[in-house]
Amino acid sequence: MSAVGHYLEEGGIPSASISLVREHSEAMGPPRALWVPFTLGRPLGAPNDPAFQRMVLRAMLALFDADEGPVLQDFAHDAPGPD
């Protein structure tokens, strides 16, 4: 996703992504990325928890408020429930 983000940004389209592997995001330097400490394949946390999933999405969208980038922010919560 980082490469796509760079491509979109070059075209004037802001982008943000959710990162499950922090080391990859650090190496690629995407324009805006939210690192989440969840199991691979679950970028929004455990299934069937729409309130928590909205919280993750809102945190990612808040990255657009940054004055400059690249931005790599850590999500401060662990996923609730079975992971």
Side-chain angles (χ1 to χ4, degrees), residues 39 42 45-49 79-83:
T39 302
R42 293 192 172 172
N48 301 317
D49 191 344
D83 194 41

Side-chain angles (χ1 to χ4, degrees), residues 14-73:
S15 66
S17 61
I18 295 175
S19 170
L20 290 165
V21 181
R22 184 176 180 81
E23 293 81 11
H24 292 174
S25 293
E26 289 172 346
M28 293 293 294
R32 289 164 210 82
L34 178 69
W35 176 78
V36 294
F38 308 150
T39 302
L40 288 177
R42 293 192 172 172
L44 299 178
N48 301 317
D49 191 344
F52 185 81
Q53 293 165 353
R54 276 191 297 275
M55 187 169 58
V56 174
L57 289 172
R58 286 185 180 121
M60 183 198 64
L61 293 172
L63 299 177
F64 288 109
D65 294 334
D67 291 332
E68 58 185 64
V71 176
L72 177 55
Q73 181 176 322

